[in-house]
Amino acid sequence: MVVQPIRDRRAERREATRSEILDAAWELVRAEGLAGLSLRDLARRVGMQAPSLYSYFDSKHAIYDAMFRQGAQEYARGQALIPETGDGLVDLKVGLHFFVGFCTEDPARYQLLFQRTIPGFEPSPESYASSVEGLETLRARLAGMGLDDDALDLLTAIGTGLTDQQISNDPGGDRWTRRVDEAIEMFFAHVSLRGPATRRPATIEKVGKRR
Amino acid sequence: MVVQPIRDRRAERREATRSEILDAAWELVRAEGLAGLSLRDLARRVGMQAPSLYSYFDSKHAIYDAMFRQGAQEYARGQALIPETGDGLVDLKVGLHFFVGFCTEDPARYQLLFQRTIPGFEPSPESYASSVEGLETLRARLAGMGLDDDALDLLTAIGTGLTDQQISNDPGGDRWTRRVDEAIEMFFAHVSLRGPATRRPATIEKVGKRR
DNA sequence: GTCTATATTTGGATAGAC
DNA sequence: GTCTATCCAAATATAGAC
């Protein structure tokens, strides 16, 4: 028989309020941009005065950290839920649709998780661990298809490239997201060509101009 | 015989100071991040007090705008200087090396030109025109190779993807920049396959999770 | 053109009453 | 736990003397 642990109503209440604050914070950054999060505005949204927030979070960075953690967990959970068919091409397409969709549906979250543009903010080790989880799931799946870390790097570049162009140059549209399938076909054909032992063609030297 | 225009020494001096201020602004954003540009710091770097800057620029945004214009002109000039061999594969490689090199050598400039993360800042029409120039050059070159705007969009996604991953996850390194050649080979093989009239395979539906 | 002085706003954070 | 009051710092921008 399972012993019911004693409920701590105070702790439950506190958690509920924390969660409410975080929800409001997400709303705010979606509207004002990630850097536009201010404690005054945030407090007003939940019907508090700014100093009251300090009963729930030690600092503004602590709020960012909790948001980072939430976002990373959402990503890892979504990633884990992607069905696998065994057909590499199909699985890659579904996977990239998930990634690009996840990022473009909330650019502020994308910025927080993948771009790190908040000056002075670094996720705590625990929060960072959550973010590694999603990438590891992806790495394992690719490995199952016989693809190594080099292929992973190329794939993530394609994913962030489509995402970034979509967000920067056609927000709310689908000028780049609609090319996910084509991009995966291109990638798939490419990695299908090279076996385990491959030599790379000669490299062109970098042509750059200094200011 | 060419008539020498009368030199306006005052205007020359003024232009020199403007230029000096902009140089200092670039140094500052490279060190502190694009959003970290403050008029106090900037003034101190050129031996002025903050209000004196208003003799040269109407506002902080005007400084960003001048920087945007400079960056766009550098990009357009560099783009125009890229030699063409007529060998499509080689030309694409050289072109992407230029783009990725240009972006990664100065992430703050990349952010200003291509990502638009400064809240409230939009380049003036004249400055924006400079930025379109570079992209148009690229478009024309691709057209010369028989590649349309769809191919252009895919190529820019690859370029910004490699750039973004490099800057975000391996700053100063070459984990992604060293894959430029491979990425172009992948892209080239892909666009070589489809002729002018091509049908795309069936599309996989988007799999997304809402928060 | 450059300065000092200042207005104005806004931000994060703390002290202490209740 | 929540509030008022306040501190402190930093930012852009303006006014006016020199």
Side-chain angles (χ1 to χ4, degrees):
Chain A
M1 175 186 162
V2 178
V3 177
Q4 202 68 255
I6 298 168
R7 279 177 54 191
D8 183 341
R9 303 187 74 91
R10 190 171 311 183
E12 283 172 12
R13 175 80 184 189
R14 185 184 159 81
E15 265 318 298
T17 304
R18 268 181 66 102
S19 175
E20 193 186 338
I21 290 170
L22 287 179
D23 287 347
W26 280 113
E27 277 179 43
L28 213 151
V29 298
R30 276 185 218 115
E32 306 291 325
L34 188 60
L37 178 65
S38 100
L39 297 188
R40 276 164 167 55
D41 290 354
L42 177 56
R44 198 157 39 78
R45 282 201 183 222
V46 294
M48 289 180 178
Q49 294 298 315
S52 303
L53 295 174
Y54 285 86
S55 297
Y56 298 95
F57 295 95
D58 287 341
S59 67
K60 188 183 179 182
H61 273 14
I63 296 177
Y64 277 129
D65 194 63
M67 294 170 77
F68 182 95
R69 190 175 201 157
Q70 272 193 344
Q73 284 173 349
E74 286 165 11
Y75 177 69
R77 183 159 38 85
Q79 175 85 9
L81 285 179
I82 297 175
E84 278 184 291
T85 68
D87 180 335
L89 182 58
V90 171
D91 288 350
L92 284 173
K93 284 183 181 177
V94 174
L96 193 61
H97 273 291
F98 166 72
F99 178 78
V100 176
F102 180 87
C103 293
T104 54
E105 84 182 5
D106 193 339
R109 183 178 57 184
Y110 169 67
Q111 210 182 331
L112 177 62
L113 286 180
F114 299 109
Q115 295 205 311
R116 315 280 176 78
T117 63
I118 301 293
F121 169 68
E122 291 233 11
S124 62
E126 310 89 64
S127 298
Y128 185 71
S130 299
S131 83
V132 173
E133 201 182 314
L135 189 61
E136 281 308 315
T137 302
L138 177 57
R139 188 199 305 274
R141 294 211 175 177
L142 286 188
M145 298 169 54
L147 298 180
D148 59 10
D149 284 4
D150 280 359
L152 176 63
D153 282 351
L154 187 54
L155 183 59
T156 60
I158 292 171
T160 57
L162 290 171
T163 298
D164 227 63
Q165 288 290 87
Q166 186 59 59
I167 290 175
S168 298
N169 297 320
D170 183 35
D174 73 338
R175 180 167 159 194
W176 277 272
T177 58
R178 70 169 178 249
R179 319 190 65 87
V180 163
D181 286 339
E182 179 189 355
I184 286 296
E185 285 156 22
M186 171 183 73
F187 172 76
F188 190 78
H190 174 70
V191 295
S192 298
L193 284 181
R194 43 171 219 187
T198 313
R199 55 179 164 71
R200 301 244 51 75
T203 294
I204 302 286
E205 271 313 301
K206 176 173 170 178
V207 176
K209 298 220 67 66
R210 285 254 154 218
R211 83 172 43 249
Chain B
M1 175 186 165
V2 178
V3 176
Q4 202 68 257
I6 297 169
R7 279 176 56 189
D8 183 342
R9 303 188 73 92
R10 190 171 312 184
E12 283 173 11
R13 175 80 184 186
R14 185 184 159 81
E15 266 317 299
T17 305
R18 268 181 67 102
S19 176
E20 193 186 338
I21 291 169
L22 287 179
D23 286 349
W26 281 113
E27 276 180 44
L28 211 152
V29 298
R30 278 187 217 113
E32 305 291 325
L34 188 59
L37 178 64
S38 101
L39 298 189
R40 278 178 178 20
D41 290 356
L42 177 56
R44 198 157 39 77
R45 282 202 183 221
V46 293
M48 287 180 180
Q49 294 298 316
S52 303
L53 295 174
Y54 286 85
S55 296
Y56 299 96
F57 296 95
D58 286 341
S59 67
K60 188 183 180 182
H61 273 15
I63 296 177
Y64 277 129
D65 194 63
M67 293 171 77
F68 182 95
R69 190 174 201 159
Q70 272 194 342
Q73 285 172 347
E74 287 164 10
Y75 177 68
R77 184 158 38 87
Q79 176 85 11
L81 285 180
I82 296 174
E84 277 183 293
T85 69
D87 179 335
L89 182 58
V90 170
D91 288 349
L92 284 173
K93 284 182 181 177
V94 174
L96 193 61
H97 273 292
F98 166 72
F99 178 79
V100 176
F102 180 88
C103 293
T104 54
E105 83 182 6
D106 193 340
R109 183 178 58 184
Y110 169 68
Q111 212 182 329
L112 177 62
L113 287 180
F114 299 108
Q115 295 203 309
R116 314 281 175 78
T117 63
I118 300 294
F121 169 67
E122 292 233 10
S124 63
E126 310 90 61
S127 299
Y128 186 71
S130 299
S131 83
V132 173
E133 201 183 314
L135 189 61
E136 280 308 316
T137 303
L138 176 58
R139 188 199 304 273
R141 295 212 174 176
L142 285 187
M145 297 169 52
L147 298 180
D148 59 8
D149 284 5
D150 281 359
L152 176 64
D153 281 352
L154 188 54
L155 183 60
T156 59
I158 292 171
T160 57
L162 291 171
T163 298
D164 226 64
Q165 289 291 88
Q166 185 59 59
I167 290 174
S168 296
N169 297 319
D170 183 35
D174 73 337
R175 179 166 159 193
W176 277 272
T177 58
R178 68 167 180 252
R179 317 189 66 88
V180 163
D181 286 339
E182 179 188 355
I184 285 296
E185 285 155 23
M186 171 183 72
F187 172 76
F188 189 79
H190 174 70
V191 295
S192 298
L193 284 181
R194 44 171 218 187
T198 314
R199 52 179 167 71
R200 300 244 51 77
T203 295
I204 304 285
E205 270 314 301
K206 175 172 169 178
V207 176
K209 298 219 70 65
R210 286 256 153 216
R211 84 174 41 247

